[in-house]
Amino acid sequence: MAEENNSINSMEQALDSFNQVQIGDVVTAEVLSIEDSQLIVGIDNSGVEGVVPLRELTSDRKADIHKLAQVGDKLELLVVRHSASDKEDGSFILSQRRIANRKAYGKMAELMSADTVVKGEVVGTVRSGLLVEVDGLRGFVPASMISDHFVRDFKSFVGQILDLKIIEVEPTKNRFVLSHKEIAAQERAQKESEIMANILPGDIIDAKVSRLTNFGAFVDLGGMDGLVHVSQISYDHVDRPADILKVGQDVKVKILDVDKDRGRVSLSIKAAQPGPWETIGEKFAAGDQIDGVVKRLTDFGAFVEVMPGIEGLVHVSQISWNHVDNPADVLKVGEKVHLKVLNVDPEQKRLGLSIKELTENPHSKAKEAKKDEQELDNYELPDEERGFALGDIVDEDSNN
């Protein structure tokens, strides 16, 4: 009878101990054994055993559980829930990782209140932003808070260490939201100030294409963007910048203008390359025959493009052998013409051209014909060709 009472008392004590352990409690437990993917622990002062799965020890699913704990270790654990199956050897499922997270959330809440900047490593991406790890706590940076300008490629951030502002900390919802936008804006402003102070019109520097639009290309000067207008991309005509350039492409640019008040820099890619006038002497010489397209008409002649960036002048006197009052009466913009090079002056950027020199002069034929006619009218046969001489007539009269 006494033994039966002792057994009942032991069961009641065990049940009381079990009832003393509640979901959400933070308890101290001893590691009793280690299996491949979980720890078996005994909760102190309760006589109750529990299980700590590997996923509740660390967020690293590839970690070696034998390196994370040893038999006899004392661990501070959170009681997560009752065990749900026979595979979970113990009365409760416990977690060490959630204890660490709870402490981390508390620390982050304090840092957010103090408006403290934290450092986080970008460990992955999702469709809507970046996944970051801050002091072992997983956080999220929404796409709109990654930078102060639109970001298309999230993957380029993976592995980077970013300075971040804490926006929201909500442990019960497992929400930890951060932002890099404000930091990025501050960093950009500082870099812009440094760049603007160190560049001058005429400088040629290395840059990288960052964005393309219909009207030009924005290039990164090392912390700020400058604009290359579509007209400054190439000496050739460019309809769409995307036909010539690609995002990420390295380019050399010449500084055209620096507007410090508005924070704008105007750039040119073509001006950083050798100009066509610098090598024109190797391509054209006086007497050459070339083709061109009429680009502009003026009172004194026509400007004809003979290659990208090179226009020569056909003076009104060199358009036709006939008198031309207005070049527009003879030529049209866009018309293709065959030309003779009269002179080349690279230093003055002048190219003299002629259309009429490659056509026959109708006036020279007319002059030759008229001259022939005049010579025929004035022509007199020599005396010997008439069959007698004046002397013969005089002598004949004398004899009579």
Side-chain angles (χ1 to χ4, degrees):
M1 188 69 177
E3 290 181 2
E4 184 177 348
N5 289 335
N6 289 335
S7 177
I8 292 173
N9 289 336
S10 297
M11 291 178 62
E12 289 177 349
Q13 289 175 357
L15 184 61
D16 288 341
S17 297
F18 182 84
N19 290 332
Q20 288 174 5
V21 180
Q22 303 292 327
I23 306 300
D25 286 352
V26 176
V27 299
T28 301
E30 181 180 350
V31 178
L32 301 178
S33 65
I34 301 175
E35 299 179 359
D36 290 338
S37 60
Q38 64 183 17
L39 304 178
I40 307 300
V41 298
I43 301 174
D44 287 0
N45 304 317
S46 71
V48 176
E49 291 186 358
V51 176
V52 185
L54 176 62
R55 66 178 181 276
E56 295 296 345
L57 277 175
T58 177
S59 58
D60 182 3
R61 301 299 174 86
K62 297 180 180 180
D64 183 353
I65 195 170
H66 296 279
K67 294 181 179 180
L68 298 177
Q70 303 293 324
V71 173
D73 286 352
K74 292 283 188 174
L75 304 178
E76 186 179 35
L77 303 168
L78 175 69
V79 181
V80 177
R81 61 178 173 82
H82 293 290
S83 59
S85 68
D86 295 336
K87 293 181 180 179
E88 296 172 339
D89 299 328
S91 302
F92 294 96
I93 302 301
L94 301 102
S95 174
Q96 183 183 59
R97 183 172 62 85
R98 299 191 196 194
I99 288 286
N101 282 356
R102 179 178 289 186
K103 291 180 179 179
Y105 272 117
K107 179 182 177 182
M108 293 304 140
E110 293 177 0
L111 293 174
M112 182 177 69
S113 297
D115 198 30
T116 302
V117 174
V118 298
K119 290 188 180 296
E121 180 182 0
V122 181
V123 294
T125 67
V126 291
R127 190 172 183 179
S128 54
L130 306 178
L131 299 176
V132 297
E133 192 167 290
V134 181
D135 289 345
L137 185 64
R138 182 65 60 90
F140 175 63
V141 180
S144 61
M145 296 183 183
I146 294 175
S147 182
D148 59 339
H149 62 271
F150 177 72
V151 175
R152 187 181 302 275
D153 181 17
F154 295 165
K155 292 182 180 179
S156 63
F157 286 88
V158 175
Q160 291 188 31
I161 305 295
L162 301 179
D163 287 332
L164 302 163
K165 281 289 190 80
I166 302 171
I167 304 300
E168 182 181 355
V169 178
E170 184 54 66
T172 58
K173 296 181 179 180
N174 206 28
R175 284 178 61 84
F176 181 35
V177 182
L178 306 103
S179 172
H180 183 61
K181 184 174 183 177
E182 184 179 341
I183 304 296
Q186 293 173 354
E187 291 175 348
R188 179 173 289 272
Q190 182 178 351
K191 287 182 178 179
E192 284 184 3
S193 178
E194 294 173 357
I195 291 171
M196 298 284 273
N198 289 290
I199 59 175
L200 294 170
D203 289 350
I204 295 179
I205 60 178
D206 294 320
K208 188 182 293 289
V209 178
S210 57
R211 285 184 292 146
L212 295 172
T213 68
N214 290 331
F215 58 84
F218 286 93
V219 299
D220 184 3
L221 303 177
M224 73 169 292
D225 284 349
L227 174 64
V228 179
H229 189 266
V230 63
S231 63
Q232 292 294 328
I233 292 176
S234 173
Y235 288 104
D236 293 325
H237 176 72
V238 177
D239 288 319
R240 296 174 62 252
D243 294 337
I244 306 296
L245 301 171
K246 295 181 180 179
V247 173
Q249 181 178 340
D250 293 323
V251 291
K252 283 189 179 294
V253 294
K254 184 175 182 178
I255 310 296
L256 299 182
D257 182 61
V258 179
D259 188 341
K260 294 184 179 180
D261 294 333
R262 302 171 69 185
R264 295 182 179 179
V265 180
S266 298
L267 308 165
S268 174
I269 293 176
K270 73 178 186 181
Q273 309 300 321
W277 284 101
E278 296 178 28
T279 57
I280 191 172
E282 302 172 5
K283 298 177 180 178
F284 302 133
D288 288 351
Q289 294 185 28
I290 58 177
D291 294 313
V293 178
V294 177
K295 289 296 184 180
R296 292 179 291 140
L297 295 171
T298 68
D299 292 339
F300 55 85
F303 286 93
V304 181
E305 184 181 60
V306 296
M307 62 177 288
I310 296 292
E311 288 185 4
L313 174 64
V314 179
H315 190 267
V316 64
S317 63
Q318 292 294 328
I319 294 176
S320 173
W321 290 106
N322 296 319
H323 177 72
V324 177
D325 286 321
N326 186 349
D329 295 337
V330 182
L331 299 172
K332 294 180 180 179
V333 172
E335 181 179 350
K336 294 181 179 180
V337 289
H338 194 51
L339 308 151
K340 181 179 180 179
V341 178
L342 299 180
N343 54 73
V344 182
D345 188 345
E347 292 185 3
Q348 298 296 322
K349 295 185 178 180
R350 291 179 180 175
L351 179 65
L353 304 168
S354 175
I355 296 173
K356 77 176 188 180
E357 287 290 332
L358 296 181
T359 62
E360 190 174 358
N361 184 356
H363 303 297
S364 67
K365 278 191 174 183
K367 286 181 179 180
E368 288 178 5
K370 189 173 182 180
K371 181 179 179 182
D372 290 344
E373 185 179 341
Q374 288 175 346
E375 288 179 351
L376 184 60
D377 290 342
N378 298 328
Y379 181 73
E380 291 185 2
L381 289 172
D383 290 343
E384 60 269 19
E385 295 297 327
R386 297 176 184 175
F388 57 87
L390 182 59
D392 294 335
I393 298 174
V394 173
D395 291 342
E396 186 178 343
D397 289 342
S398 299
N399 293 331
N400 290 334

